[in-house]
Amino acid sequence: MTRAALINGRTIAAEMHTRIKAEADALTAKGWAPRLVSVSVGDTAAADIYVRNQKRNAEAAGVAFEERRFDEKISLEQLTGVLAGLNADPRVNGIIIQRPLPAHIPVKALQKAVHPLKDVEGMHPSSIGNIVYNDLALGPCTAVAAVEILKTLPLKLEGLDVTVIGHSEIVGKPIAFLLMGLGATVTVCHHMTRSVAMHSRAADAVFVAVGKPGLVTGDMLKPGAALIDIGINRVETLDGPRTVGDADMESCAEVAGWLTPVPGGVGPVTVAVLMQNAVAATRMQMEHYANAYMAEGA
Amino acid sequence: MTRAALINGRTIAAEMHTRIKAEADALTAKGWAPRLVSVSVGDTAAADIYVRNQKRNAEAAGVAFEERRFDEKISLEQLTGVLAGLNADPRVNGIIIQRPLPAHIPVKALQKAVHPLKDVEGMHPSSIGNIVYNDLALGPCTAVAAVEILKTLPLKLEGLDVTVIGHSEIVGKPIAFLLMGLGATVTVCHHMTRSVAMHSRAADAVFVAVGKPGLVTGDMLKPGAALIDIGINRVETLDGPRTVGDADMESCAEVAGWLTPVPGGVGPVTVAVLMQNAVAATRMQMEHYANAYMAEGA
């Protein structure tokens, strides 16, 4: 018996693309065609599928997407120089750092080197700090996507009891602050939590971003709760390799009111949010330029 | 019947001063005498008691403290210019913006104008973002103080169930991320929460920072829990005006294992943390300078 309504991430993403494209076209008409530059270093086979997906989404959203690939042996200093150049280039509106990076390139150092105004992935400490201050211009894509999905449900966010399983810096924690900013009562659980189930069973909505298949089972949910599954796991089945989330779909679907499938749930919306950030970044840069260079009243 | 042990914030602050002064003296010997500049605008009678307290604490901690007062009519542009000057002055290691500010000066704009390396109050979005990334150089003083107090107790922080009542950007939320970084399971409650008591009664430690006397009562606590009271309220009593926290001391003391009194609890430790930040900022600036200007191996 399935209680849960499956949330269609692709439909939500498609609706977002329509809005984003209209905005991108309007900006292009003003001479500010949104352009993303994707930076990859070294052997990128593992990332290629994501990059192709981003490129496809960019086209659907009216955003130009340019790939730049660098040799594995590039130094952090050279790479920081590359980013400085992209920061200074007025035709570049957003910069994406593809992962994985070679071992000698620390991801955080690169994140800090992207100018906050072009931080479309929302990972610069300033962007994270801005979310805490409820200044939501460029948020981390996965976290924003997960919360956008919750917002499509008929649940009042003010006073909602929410449990977030997973406390990563770029997903779990930002989801927590975004939800706090919307008035929810948020509990963040993780591998050190004594009883995740105690908290998740009391929640109206559960977000899980851990990377462990079958982590969340039906008995951990309140009947009728929403479950937003951000996990991405590759598992071997009799039918070959499959991608699954952190939820045990069979048992969760019997209890939850709403459920995001993997794939086809949070993933498509995440990339749409990246494009939304690209357009938002372009608009902010356009306004920044106008304030700096144009006469009052222009 | 009192169960609770009262936590002596003044004793904790005094121990911190000893450590901070040793560090300050070591830096001074190297030519980097830690110096704070306090910026006040307009009628400062309400803030004066805090400024005097900071000055006294600075002296105890071996940190120079210089007050700069500006006329109420100063513009945001002029004030931002003042801050730019302080940012650029190598003899200034930390900048404090005293509140309240006149209505025409937006506090956030000023917070952003202080260079992150001199942000001893820990309020620049980068500082907040850094806490999320577990990069704890300069944290918001009150939040850091509250967590430092919890650390003095014989409680294992990993897996600890903690409820934070109050979701302000500079106290409640930073306390939440600091505790998450230490492995606690954190729930953040606020005025939109349906049942604060449900969450607080399940917690091993409760932090309250709301500004409402008598908000937390004994029946909202698990027997033996720690209660860290950050509230500062001025109330009228038969004996005249008194400062109290957010806890109903009488009922809470019967249930809690540990309790911070107001005053004499979090307050003294907060100012000590400000001095700790001053010394940390000075050290980072010294290292920054060494990396920039000194020959390798120097």
Side-chain angles (χ1 to χ4, degrees):
Chain A
M1 177 203 74
T2 300
R3 174 199 292 262
L6 284 182
I7 300 172
N8 192 326
R10 295 196 174 100
T11 305
I12 296 173
E15 282 160 4
M16 290 175 71
H17 282 148
T18 308
R19 289 196 302 271
I20 297 165
K21 187 162 195 319
E23 172 95 10
D25 291 348
L27 289 164
T28 303
K30 290 183 188 176
W32 285 80
R35 164 174 296 273
L36 288 176
V37 171
S38 157
V39 172
S40 308
V41 185
D43 172 20
T44 53
D48 280 352
I49 185 172
Y50 291 102
V51 179
R52 276 200 306 272
N53 196 24
Q54 290 169 359
K55 193 175 176 73
R56 213 172 35 238
N57 271 261
E59 275 155 28
V63 173
F65 187 92
E66 188 187 318
E67 272 190 86
R68 307 243 180 130
R69 294 165 173 269
F70 298 91
D71 187 274
E72 159 132 353
K73 291 190 289 301
I74 192 171
S75 70
L76 174 61
E77 198 179 0
Q78 289 169 316
L79 214 35
T80 310
V82 166
L83 290 174
L86 293 172
N87 285 340
D89 186 344
R91 299 158 301 178
V92 174
N93 306 112
I95 302 163
I96 301 167
I97 313 251
Q98 301 296 347
R99 292 165 193 77
L101 291 163
H104 66 284
I105 305 284
V107 121
K108 279 187 191 171
L110 277 197
Q111 275 163 199
K112 285 186 176 180
V114 173
H115 193 284
L117 273 179
K118 301 194 180 187
D119 177 34
V120 287
E121 294 186 282
M123 294 198 193
H124 189 283
S126 280
S127 303
I128 301 279
N130 283 334
I131 290 184
V132 176
Y133 278 120
N134 281 344
D135 182 1
L136 302 167
L138 297 176
C141 301
T142 311
V144 171
V147 174
E148 282 304 305
I149 287 174
L150 183 72
K151 284 172 163 180
T152 64
L153 306 180
L155 291 170
K156 182 160 166 258
L157 295 183
E158 266 183 33
L160 200 72
D161 278 304
V162 183
T163 290
V164 180
I165 307 173
H167 65 163
S168 70
E169 296 155 353
I170 55 181
V171 182
K173 280 182 188 168
I175 289 175
F177 339 138
L178 287 168
L179 291 168
M180 283 184 223
L182 294 165
T185 301
V186 184
T187 299
V188 179
C189 300
H190 42 69
H191 64 279
M192 289 169 279
T193 298
R194 290 188 206 123
S195 172
V196 175
M198 177 184 93
H199 296 287
S200 61
R201 273 195 225 112
D204 305 309
V206 176
F207 290 73
V208 60
V210 171
K212 202 171 161 200
L215 176 71
V216 179
T217 47
D219 60 303
M220 291 170 66
L221 300 174
K222 180 157 76 176
L227 176 60
I228 313 289
D229 188 350
I230 299 147
I232 300 178
N233 309 292
R234 203 80 177 133
V235 296
E236 280 299 325
T237 70
L238 295 166
D239 305 307
R242 278 184 59 212
T243 299
V244 300
D246 290 342
D248 172 58
M249 282 297 273
E250 212 182 306
S251 62
C252 287
E254 285 181 16
V255 183
W258 299 270
L259 196 39
T260 55
V262 180
V266 178
V269 184
T270 298
V271 193
V273 170
L274 181 62
M275 300 310 145
Q276 188 170 269
N277 279 353
V279 158
T282 307
R283 176 168 287 283
M284 285 193 294
Q285 290 154 34
M286 180 180 78
E287 286 164 1
H288 206 247
Y289 180 89
N291 289 338
Y293 293 109
M294 290 169 71
E296 272 185 50
Chain B
M1 177 202 75
T2 299
R3 174 200 294 263
L6 283 182
I7 300 172
N8 192 328
R10 294 193 174 102
T11 305
I12 296 173
E15 281 160 4
M16 290 175 72
H17 282 148
T18 308
R19 288 196 303 269
I20 297 165
K21 188 164 195 315
E23 172 94 10
D25 290 348
L27 288 165
T28 303
K30 291 184 188 175
W32 284 80
R35 165 175 295 272
L36 288 177
V37 171
S38 156
V39 172
S40 307
V41 184
D43 173 20
T44 54
D48 281 352
I49 186 173
Y50 291 102
V51 180
R52 278 201 304 272
N53 198 25
Q54 288 168 2
K55 194 174 174 74
R56 213 170 38 237
N57 271 260
E59 275 154 29
V63 174
F65 188 92
E66 188 187 317
E67 271 190 86
R68 306 240 181 131
R69 292 167 174 268
F70 297 90
D71 186 273
E72 159 132 351
K73 291 191 289 300
I74 193 171
S75 71
L76 174 61
E77 199 178 0
Q78 289 170 314
L79 213 37
T80 310
V82 166
L83 291 174
L86 294 172
N87 285 341
D89 186 344
R91 298 158 302 177
V92 175
N93 307 111
I95 301 164
I96 301 166
I97 313 252
Q98 302 296 350
R99 293 163 192 77
L101 290 163
H104 66 284
I105 304 285
V107 119
K108 277 187 191 170
L110 278 196
Q111 277 163 199
K112 284 186 176 180
V114 173
H115 192 284
L117 273 179
K118 302 194 180 187
D119 177 33
V120 287
E121 295 187 282
M123 293 196 192
H124 191 282
S126 278
S127 302
I128 302 277
N130 283 334
I131 291 183
V132 177
Y133 276 119
N134 281 345
D135 181 2
L136 302 166
L138 297 176
C141 301
T142 310
V144 172
V147 175
E148 282 305 304
I149 287 175
L150 183 71
K151 284 171 161 182
T152 65
L153 306 180
L155 290 171
K156 181 161 168 259
L157 295 185
E158 268 189 30
L160 199 72
D161 278 303
V162 184
T163 289
V164 180
I165 307 173
H167 65 162
S168 71
E169 297 156 352
I170 55 181
V171 182
K173 280 180 187 170
I175 288 176
F177 330 141
L178 286 169
L179 291 168
M180 283 183 220
L182 295 165
T185 302
V186 184
T187 300
V188 179
C189 299
H190 43 69
H191 64 277
M192 288 169 280
T193 298
R194 290 187 206 123
S195 172
V196 175
M198 176 183 93
H199 296 287
S200 61
R201 273 194 223 113
D204 305 310
V206 176
F207 290 72
V208 60
V210 171
K212 203 172 162 197
L215 177 70
V216 179
T217 48
D219 58 306
M220 290 170 68
L221 301 174
K222 179 157 75 180
L227 176 60
I228 314 289
D229 189 350
I230 300 147
I232 300 178
N233 308 291
R234 201 83 176 132
V235 294
E236 280 299 326
T237 71
L238 295 166
D239 307 306
R242 277 185 58 214
T243 299
V244 299
D246 290 342
D248 170 60
M249 283 298 275
E250 214 182 304
S251 63
C252 286
E254 289 183 12
V255 183
W258 299 270
L259 196 40
T260 54
V262 179
V266 177
V269 184
T270 298
V271 192
V273 171
L274 181 63
M275 300 311 145
Q276 188 170 267
N277 279 354
V279 159
T282 306
R283 176 168 289 282
M284 286 193 295
Q285 289 156 34
M286 180 180 79
E287 287 165 1
H288 206 247
Y289 181 89
N291 288 337
Y293 294 111
M294 291 168 68
E296 272 187 52

